[in-house]
Amino acid sequence: MNKIDQRPLFFDIFKLMLPLLVLLFAHAAANAQNYTTEEQDCFTLVQGRVAYDKLGNKTWSESNIRNLCRGTTNPIETISCFRDKIAAGTAWNEAIPACSPSALKPTPSGLSGNWAMYDGNGLPYEKDAVITQTGSSVTLNNGYGSEETVGLDGFKLNVRTWKLTGTIKSDGSRIDWSNGFYWVKKQYTRTEVQNSVDDRTLTLRNTGAINATINLYRADRKVFDNTPVKSIKWVDGGASPSVTFGTAIQPGTQLEVEITMKVGGLGGFWDLLIYRATIAANSSNLCFEVGGTAYKPTAKPCATTQAVEADYVTFRNEVGILSYMKLDYTQITSDTDTAKKAIRTDDTVLGMERKVYRPRDAANGAMTLTINGVTADEPKLKEIRLGVGDLFSGCYKVWGSAITPKVSPCSISSSARTIKFWNNSGTTAKLVAIYDQNKKVSTNDIEVTQTESIEIPIGVSKSPVSVEIWAYGIDRTRRLVTTMTASGSFTGELCYKIEGTSISPNASTCDDVVGDTSVETRLIRFQNEAGYDAQMIVTYFVDEVIGGQKIPMAKTVSTGMINGLGGKLRLLAIPKVVSQGMQITIAIQGSTTVKNDIWSTTLPGNFADNPQPCFKVWGTLFDPQGGKCAP
């Protein structure tokens, strides 16, 4: 038979097979349409890798593939599990259920039953939802005519037709939906529920100009469980909504409450914690009140509610820059795991006040508070390290100027020992106090006319307090201007000041005393009545024991260069007890005069300070004069 004779027979056979081919392709297309995307990916993987192979002496078929892939959300995990099982000698009919999605990912059980439904404000719906669970599949009926059947993805639900995802609590008692609504599993029949409803109420009174949310929690929950049992969300000023406890909270349960305020910034809007407290068990109706503004929000229990507020640190913005407080700590994330975490206030402006509460989920360890400016490099203005057991309290403020902001305690107790520092110079300066031998506390770098006080704790050591005063030069290098000493047992307030220029600063107490005031002293007076800068330098001797012998050691104290305009003066403190037989030298020097070594003299070591010895300078740059003050 020639080729021409064969062609009609070929087409006749093709025409006979065409309906069968159409049915086969239609069947395959129908099967593909019945698959989810993940299931189809799984199907393709099986076809490409293990389909129709003789594995474990069992031949694959399409129904085998369908059984394995049905319900999968992780195709690669499913196929890897199957291949491992087959390689280990497991028969295919045993490997399929072992590698099914429900086996690979634990899913909750016992979901069947009635569920109370609540909206985003915690208000209950009249009707119940009903869930029917069959293995890893659940049928959800919302009680209002909508019913969907979906597969469980671990403890997650994805109801595409409702455009919602849900998270099931680990004990299967609650489902939180992505729109803020939630369902709570009912543990009773309808008749029992009516007789067991807790008619106590939770009320949030908003008398302020903020948007607030209140969340109620079980106090005995795990520290990493942040699921509220009752909420009233996004309440505007003037509103006072209430919700009943229903069956979510049984009488006798100890509770915790958190109140948040809606804040916004460049990153969007979020809820900022403004109040946290513990409520006693067996409390009656609960009521909390919020007020104030976004600058200084307030939150407290109403008069009928007893609550104990948690520990917190206060942060105030008293300067014209954006700034915030941040807390870094170690967070407990599960029964066995921890992670680093940071919580922070919003970006605050002048006049704002915020609270940072001790984290409930903090592991036992050190925490660090930082106060930062909001700029491109977010400079760290202050760091406060909190060790284990340290008090989580206090108040810090950012103040000063927008160019040179500073951070200090908001206030100091009137009963505390303090040192005040006053900058009356032409340069930036700071004061450093060293107490109990090696402990330090310092002021910020403060500008001209500014003052700042620091607290000196009462220590067990009676050693003197060393006071260092530092100044910054024109090139921003820092140098020590003077060191003075005060009694370690002082009470009340000490006060020091810096004067002069960035080139020639000088410092003293606010009473114009320079020197060691930790012992009983005598004072020598120096007055500048000239038209140039001048200083007085006093050298004296005190006995020190070296190698078992008393040896006179020279000590020097200087007024520093002080300006004569206005008749400035200084008092130099000299110990009452000095080395016997050693004279005290007085030297007066000028600055940029024709004769800088202006005048000198001596005093006996046992000089009397009544009347007080007094020396001065006068004259001009071209005729500087020095000597004793006129009687």
Side-chain angles (χ1 to χ4, degrees):
M1 184 181 294
N2 59 33
K3 294 182 179 179
I4 296 177
D5 295 331
Q6 293 175 0
R7 187 173 302 168
L9 179 60
F10 171 79
F11 280 106
D12 290 340
I13 295 173
F14 179 76
K15 290 178 181 179
L16 290 172
M17 295 183 63
L18 182 60
L20 179 60
L21 292 172
V22 169
L23 288 174
L24 289 173
F25 281 111
H27 178 65
N31 287 336
Q33 291 175 358
N34 290 332
Y35 277 88
T36 65
T37 301
E38 292 81 4
E39 291 169 345
Q40 185 60 46
D41 289 343
C42 175
F43 188 92
T44 303
L45 283 170
V46 175
Q47 287 181 314
R49 297 182 185 181
V50 299
Y52 311 112
D53 287 349
K54 288 190 175 182
L55 300 173
N57 296 321
K58 297 296 180 181
T59 302
W60 272 81
S61 66
E62 186 174 335
S63 62
N64 300 147
I65 301 173
R66 183 189 303 277
N67 290 336
L68 178 64
C69 294
R70 178 63 70 190
T72 187
T73 57
N74 191 330
I76 295 177
E77 182 184 46
T78 301
I79 299 307
S80 296
C81 171
F82 175 77
R83 292 182 68 92
D84 292 343
K85 293 288 185 184
I86 294 298
T90 305
W92 66 270
N93 57 328
E94 296 175 356
I96 287 175
C99 295
S100 66
S102 59
L104 291 175
K105 182 178 290 187
T107 55
S109 59
L111 300 181
S112 295
N114 289 356
W115 293 69
M117 299 186 295
Y118 299 88
D119 66 12
N121 289 318
L123 298 176
Y125 281 85
E126 181 181 355
K127 297 183 180 181
D128 291 345
V130 177
I131 296 180
T132 303
Q133 181 177 8
T134 305
S136 61
S137 175
V138 292
T139 299
L140 309 171
N141 188 314
N142 70 358
Y144 290 88
S146 181
E147 183 174 286
E148 298 296 334
T149 299
V150 297
L152 288 168
D153 181 12
F155 283 76
K156 299 289 186 181
L157 291 168
N158 185 2
V159 188
R160 291 185 174 89
T161 55
W162 292 356
K163 297 182 179 179
L164 291 175
T165 58
T167 301
I168 304 169
K169 194 174 178 181
S170 58
D171 61 1
S173 65
R174 177 183 171 116
I175 301 174
D176 287 284
W177 297 101
S178 54
N179 62 350
F181 290 26
Y182 59 94
W183 294 1
V184 177
K185 177 72 179 298
K186 287 194 169 184
Q187 304 298 326
Y188 314 97
T189 65
R190 290 186 178 274
T191 303
E192 290 172 333
V193 168
Q194 292 173 0
N195 296 330
S196 303
V197 167
D198 187 346
D199 60 359
R200 289 183 299 166
T201 58
L202 171 67
T203 302
L204 180 63
R205 296 177 184 170
N206 191 343
T207 62
I210 61 175
N211 180 282
T213 290
I214 186 168
N215 289 310
L216 210 59
Y217 303 87
R218 294 180 61 96
D220 60 356
R221 72 193 190 281
K222 292 184 180 294
V223 295
F224 48 82
D225 182 359
N226 293 315
T227 305
V229 291
K230 191 64 61 175
S231 298
I232 304 176
K233 295 186 176 181
W234 308 309
V235 179
D236 288 326
S240 185
S242 298
V243 295
T244 58
F245 284 13
T247 59
I249 308 170
Q250 295 301 308
T253 303
Q254 189 172 16
L255 302 170
E256 291 179 351
V257 63
E258 288 186 354
I259 299 177
T260 59
M261 174 184 70
K262 186 73 70 179
V263 297
L266 296 177
F269 290 88
W270 74 96
D271 291 320
L272 179 72
L273 184 63
I274 62 173
Y275 182 79
R276 174 187 289 147
T278 301
I279 306 167
N282 297 311
S283 297
S284 58
N285 293 333
L286 302 181
C287 175
F288 292 87
E289 182 177 303
V290 296
T293 67
Y295 278 78
K296 189 176 180 181
T298 62
K300 62 180 181 180
C302 304
T304 57
T305 300
Q306 298 296 317
V308 179
E309 190 170 9
D311 297 335
Y312 63 86
V313 176
T314 303
F315 171 56
R316 293 177 184 166
N317 189 329
E318 298 182 3
V319 70
I321 65 165
L322 285 172
S323 59
Y324 64 92
M325 176 180 278
K326 184 181 70 163
L327 176 68
D328 291 279
Y329 68 100
T330 301
Q331 176 194 26
I332 300 173
T333 58
S334 70
D335 289 326
T336 57
D337 298 321
T338 61
K340 298 297 183 183
K341 186 177 181 181
I343 56 175
R344 53 163 287 176
T345 68
D346 54 332
D347 298 336
T348 67
V349 298
L350 177 64
M352 284 188 173
E353 181 174 302
R354 296 290 186 259
K355 292 179 179 179
V356 174
Y357 284 85
R358 180 189 291 274
R360 188 178 183 276
D361 57 358
N364 187 24
M367 296 182 281
T368 302
L369 274 169
T370 55
I371 298 173
N372 302 309
V374 182
T375 60
D377 56 353
E378 294 197 345
K380 184 184 296 183
L381 305 178
K382 181 79 171 182
E383 181 175 279
I384 304 106
R385 294 187 178 274
L386 301 172
V388 177
D390 285 356
L391 292 176
F392 198 88
S393 61
C395 176
Y396 297 90
K397 64 180 180 181
V398 55
W399 60 282
S401 68
I403 300 174
T404 56
K406 305 159 184 39
V407 177
S408 302
C410 297
S411 62
I412 298 177
S413 170
S414 58
S415 61
R417 300 195 306 165
T418 59
I419 298 179
K420 181 180 180 179
F421 182 49
W422 171 32
N423 188 348
N424 195 31
S425 72
T427 186
T428 303
K430 72 182 300 181
L431 179 148
V432 178
I434 304 171
Y435 65 96
D436 287 351
Q437 296 181 342
N438 59 1
K439 298 177 181 177
K440 289 185 179 182
V441 61
S442 67
T443 67
N444 291 273
D445 294 334
I446 65 174
E447 312 302 319
V448 62
T449 73
Q450 291 181 337
T451 64
E452 185 181 354
S453 294
I454 55 177
E455 182 177 354
I456 305 296
I458 299 175
V460 295
S461 172
K462 298 299 181 182
S463 59
V465 176
S466 178
V467 178
E468 299 176 347
I469 296 179
W470 296 77
Y472 289 90
I474 297 176
D475 58 356
R476 295 300 298 169
T477 58
R478 194 177 69 173
R479 66 186 182 91
L480 181 64
V481 176
T482 189
T483 299
M484 289 176 275
T485 308
S487 171
S489 60
F490 82 92
T491 59
E493 181 181 76
L494 301 178
C495 181
Y496 295 86
K497 65 180 178 180
I498 184 171
E499 295 181 319
T501 65
S502 59
I503 299 174
S504 180
N506 61 84
S508 68
T509 70
C510 294
D511 294 328
D512 296 310
V513 176
V514 179
D516 183 355
T517 60
S518 64
V519 294
E520 193 175 2
T521 61
R522 297 167 290 175
L523 298 177
I524 301 174
R525 184 184 180 98
F526 174 63
Q527 295 178 184
N528 188 342
E529 299 176 1
Y532 49 85
D533 293 348
Q535 67 177 346
M536 184 171 74
I537 302 171
V538 176
T539 303
Y540 61 94
F541 292 84
V542 294
D543 291 336
E544 292 186 5
V545 178
I546 301 177
Q549 294 184 340
K550 287 184 179 181
I551 299 177
M553 299 296 292
K555 303 288 183 179
T556 300
V557 61
S558 170
T559 62
M561 289 290 178
I562 62 174
N563 190 270
L565 299 177
K568 296 292 180 64
L569 65 89
R570 285 289 185 270
L571 300 170
L572 275 73
I574 305 298
K576 208 155 200 175
V577 178
V578 295
S579 299
Q580 291 184 1
M582 304 297 291
Q583 289 187 322
I584 296 172
T585 302
I586 309 294
I588 298 177
Q589 296 178 343
S591 174
T592 64
T593 67
V594 295
K595 185 180 68 172
N596 285 340
D597 293 327
I598 297 174
W599 187 78
S600 64
T601 188
T602 60
L603 288 174
N606 60 349
F607 76 89
D609 60 348
N610 188 13
Q612 192 178 80
C614 178
F615 305 93
K616 68 177 183 179
V617 291
W618 65 92
T620 66
L621 292 171
F622 305 102
D623 185 23
Q625 301 291 323
K628 293 184 178 181
C629 302

